[in-house]
Amino acid sequence: ALSTVADANVYVTRDGDIKIDITQREPIARLRIKGYDMYVTEAGYLLSAKDVSAAHVPVITGSYRPLFGSDYMGYMADVVRDSIATLEEEIGRLEEAKTPHLKALIDNNASLRQARRSSPKKNLFTSEENYAVLVESYKERLSRAVAAHSYNEQRIMANIDALSQQQEEARHKCSEVDRQRSEFEALISFLKMVGNSKEWSSEIVQIVISGGGNEPLQIAFVPRSGRFTVDLGTTENLDGKLQTLRRFYAKGLDNIGWDRYRSISLR
């Protein structure tokens, strides 16, 4: 299948023969969580397991909720880029939606200023009694204008605040998408580290991942040795955690026995 081809170079030799050099994508893990069955390459490319013959790589299980869909084939980076672009477009659309409300805010302030400017002017031909009536009428109009201004301002600001809240939610989603990208890249680095180590590639047979979505990624694995599971916690400092585990294997379990524990936490 074309999805398994990473690169292809087609050329014609001096003898007129057509040559095709193909570089295939090499899986480093198989993602087998609910609804998903796909291989992951070290470049972060995802391809359906149906398109690839069985590869002897660690199997990822668990309750992980990926950013990509179960039928997606392509680079994780493209999913991140498209997701963030969609969210940024939404933020821009919401900013444009504020324009009529901001104009209404300006008009509302202008109406109050106009009401304040309409105070009566006393001239030589205006009696004290009539002027008092005009002043009282002005006070009533101004009182109504102030009340209307306050009501309208609260209503307009509520609309603007609602749009700002939606923008903030979209920005938060952008941050969540970026966090998931960072965690997935850390997972890829971990898988590459395991694959490049003769020790860990033979020791780690199943990787259990939880989190994703709004929850941080958590990694555990089932080793070939012993009867325990190893909880690595988040994707931070995975290399250091494996070094700690290596020392514990050598200085701990070799002395007290490999059946002593059912769970080892390196959080």
Side-chain angles (χ1 to χ4, degrees):
L2 291 177
S3 60
T4 64
V5 178
D7 185 53
N9 183 30
V10 182
Y11 58 94
V12 179
T13 67
R14 291 182 178 180
D15 297 329
D17 296 329
I18 297 177
K19 298 288 186 179
I20 304 176
D21 294 333
I22 293 176
T23 303
Q24 288 188 302
R25 293 189 167 94
E26 296 293 336
I28 58 174
R30 185 171 184 172
L31 184 62
R32 297 200 71 176
I33 57 178
K34 184 176 181 180
Y36 290 75
D37 189 6
M38 57 179 61
Y39 284 105
V40 183
T41 74
E42 66 176 38
Y45 192 92
L46 304 152
L47 61 157
S48 172
K50 298 177 183 178
D51 297 334
V52 184
S53 56
H56 297 290
V57 292
V59 176
I60 298 174
T61 61
S63 58
Y64 174 48
R65 297 185 298 281
L67 187 61
F68 46 86
S70 60
D71 57 348
Y72 176 73
M73 286 194 300
Y75 290 101
M76 170 68 166
D78 292 340
V79 178
V80 172
R81 181 199 62 213
D82 294 343
S83 298
I84 290 180
T86 299
L87 289 167
E88 287 178 344
E89 287 178 4
E90 177 68 6
I91 292 170
R93 184 192 66 78
L94 291 167
E95 190 63 32
E96 291 179 359
K98 290 181 183 178
T99 301
H101 300 295
L102 293 171
K103 184 179 182 303
L105 200 62
I106 293 172
D107 293 342
N108 188 47
N109 291 334
S111 296
L112 181 58
R113 287 195 301 271
Q114 184 177 2
R116 284 173 172 162
R117 292 194 194 104
S118 65
S119 59
K121 301 294 187 290
K122 188 175 185 300
N123 55 46
L124 295 175
F125 303 101
T126 305
S127 66
E128 292 294 337
E129 292 79 6
N130 287 339
Y131 181 69
V133 172
L134 293 174
V135 169
E136 190 61 31
S137 176
Y138 165 72
K139 290 180 178 179
E140 291 178 1
R141 290 198 311 273
L142 183 58
S143 177
R144 289 195 298 269
V146 169
H149 175 270
S150 178
Y151 170 78
N152 290 331
E153 184 175 61
Q154 291 179 17
R155 178 176 53 82
I156 295 167
M157 289 305 301
N159 291 330
I160 294 175
D161 289 344
L163 293 170
S164 295
Q165 178 62 32
Q166 292 178 54
Q167 286 181 307
E168 189 59 31
E169 291 171 359
R171 292 189 184 97
H172 178 71
K173 288 179 182 177
C174 280
S175 297
E176 289 295 312
V177 169
D178 190 60
R179 176 183 59 78
Q180 287 183 271
R181 173 202 57 77
S182 178
E183 290 177 337
F184 189 80
E185 289 176 353
L187 173 61
I188 294 294
S189 296
F190 173 70
L191 293 170
K192 288 166 63 176
M193 181 173 56
V194 170
N196 292 331
S197 168
K198 184 178 180 180
E199 174 189 9
W200 293 121
S201 61
S202 62
E203 174 69 355
I204 298 176
V205 295
Q206 180 182 352
I207 299 172
V208 183
I209 302 182
S210 60
N214 296 326
E215 300 294 330
L217 204 65
Q218 308 283 333
I219 301 177
F221 69 82
V222 179
R224 194 177 302 277
S225 307
R227 297 181 179 179
F228 50 82
T229 59
V230 178
D231 183 4
L232 297 175
T234 67
T235 57
E236 295 181 5
N237 192 30
L238 290 171
D239 183 38
K241 292 173 183 177
L242 286 184
Q243 291 181 26
T244 300
L245 181 62
R246 183 184 288 112
R247 291 193 296 271
F248 182 65
Y249 273 11
K251 298 182 179 181
L253 295 182
D254 281 350
N255 295 322
I256 64 177
W258 288 76
D259 293 334
R260 179 71 175 269
Y261 300 107
R262 290 293 175 264
S263 177
I264 296 174
S265 175
L266 291 166
R267 287 177 173 271

